[in-house]
Amino acid sequence: GAGVSQSPSNKVTEKGKDVELRCDPISGHTALYWYRQSLGQGLEFLIYFQGNSAPDKSGLPSDRFSAERTGGSVSTLTIQRTQQEDSAVYLCASSPQGGVYSDTQYFGPGTRLTVL
Amino acid sequence: AQKITQTQPGMFVQEKEAVTLDCTYDTSDQSYGLFWYKQPSSGEMIFLIYQGSYDEQNATEGRYSLNFQKARKSANLVISASQLGDSAMYFCAMREGGAAGNKLTFGGGTRVLVKP
């Protein structure tokens, strides 16, 4: 079946603008995750969804970052008033169950965000 | 303290030979999962293999095997019969039990280049 999809694949924006990144998980996966990959910080966890609720937002770096998930499916990560340090690849992953250490996460191709 | 340590930033391997990628981890949990992912230059994170903390047998998936030494807290990935397409970044990751089990914690990665 189809894997995790993300859009756009690339996004270039100007400092101070808002951006929205979209993730479409594998059908039937109840858990969804956002990560960020940057040269300086490696791979960092941002947020975890179980269904439409987000029990773990501990990785969101500031209140400029928010995310939502609707219908237990598509998720949108929004970054307001973007800064140059937000430039990174944003990866989305989904897993069948969530909340279980053995649950494998499957990743999408990522969105490369560049803030000028 | 680093939870996942990959001490080899980069390595070369001759085509058709085996290569071992090192990974050590740090956790006080009894229940945890260890994962290896491959990230080619295209950027997508590809799941390779999983080892649970209670698994007594080392995990194997085709040419990939995981050398799990629980007492030493190591989970090395062995790739047998290397192919040119194995050239990529490889990440070791851990998912702990309990409330922390919502996220993967990644190591810094090892870049593998397979030489013909």
Side-chain angles (χ1 to χ4, degrees):
Chain A
V4 178
S5 61
Q6 293 186 245
S7 61
S9 54
N10 278 285
K11 177 72 176 178
V12 180
T13 191
E14 294 180 348
K15 178 181 172 182
K17 301 282 190 183
D18 297 352
V19 295
E20 285 189 353
L21 312 179
R22 175 189 168 107
C23 172
D24 209 332
I26 292 171
S27 178
H29 281 192
T30 62
L32 185 146
Y33 315 78
W34 284 97
Y35 292 84
R36 178 169 73 173
Q37 185 174 26
S38 58
L39 281 175
Q41 301 298 322
L43 276 149
E44 306 171 278
F45 166 80
L46 297 177
I47 188 170
Y48 155 64
F49 285 93
Q50 182 62 257
N52 291 336
S53 63
D56 190 348
K57 307 178 185 180
S58 61
L60 294 178
S62 76
D63 58 8
R64 296 186 296 104
F65 287 72
S66 64
E68 66 174 9
R69 189 179 183 195
T70 57
S73 181
V74 172
S75 176
T76 303
L77 177 69
T78 302
I79 309 173
Q80 296 179 309
R81 305 180 303 282
T82 51
Q83 303 293 312
Q84 288 181 332
E85 61 262 29
D86 299 334
S87 295
V89 175
Y90 289 81
L91 292 163
C92 176
S94 71
S95 67
Q97 301 175 28
V100 178
Y101 69 86
S102 58
D103 194 42
T104 298
Q105 297 181 25
Y106 298 91
F107 284 79
T111 294
R112 181 175 296 278
L113 175 65
T114 304
V115 182
L116 302 176
Chain B
Q2 292 282 345
K3 286 209 168 189
I4 299 285
T5 303
Q6 294 181 253
T7 57
Q8 307 149 310
M11 54 199 308
F12 290 98
V13 59
Q14 201 66 41
E15 192 179 10
K16 300 180 186 178
E17 292 186 350
V19 60
T20 298
L21 308 184
D22 295 340
C23 173
T24 57
Y25 59 91
D26 182 25
T27 182
S28 56
D29 281 357
Q30 297 300 308
S31 304
Y32 52 89
L34 297 158
F35 302 81
W36 278 91
Y37 287 86
K38 171 184 178 182
Q39 188 176 43
S41 57
S42 60
E44 188 160 355
M45 297 285 283
I46 302 167
F47 166 70
L48 296 179
I49 195 166
Y50 161 79
Q51 179 88 39
S53 58
Y54 297 110
D55 296 341
E56 295 185 352
Q57 302 279 346
N58 285 340
T60 60
E61 288 286 349
R63 293 187 300 110
Y64 304 107
S65 60
L66 203 152
N67 183 0
F68 181 46
Q69 297 187 45
K70 192 170 181 176
R72 295 182 59 192
K73 294 189 175 177
S74 76
N76 299 339
L77 177 70
V78 180
I79 306 174
S80 63
S82 296
Q83 301 172 357
L84 296 179
D86 293 335
S87 294
M89 281 288 286
Y90 289 82
F91 291 94
C92 180
M94 177 172 64
R95 189 166 182 176
E96 295 171 288
N102 301 320
K103 63 182 180 183
L104 287 169
T105 302
F106 288 86
T110 295
R111 184 174 298 280
V112 172
L113 184 60
V114 180
K115 299 187 292 183

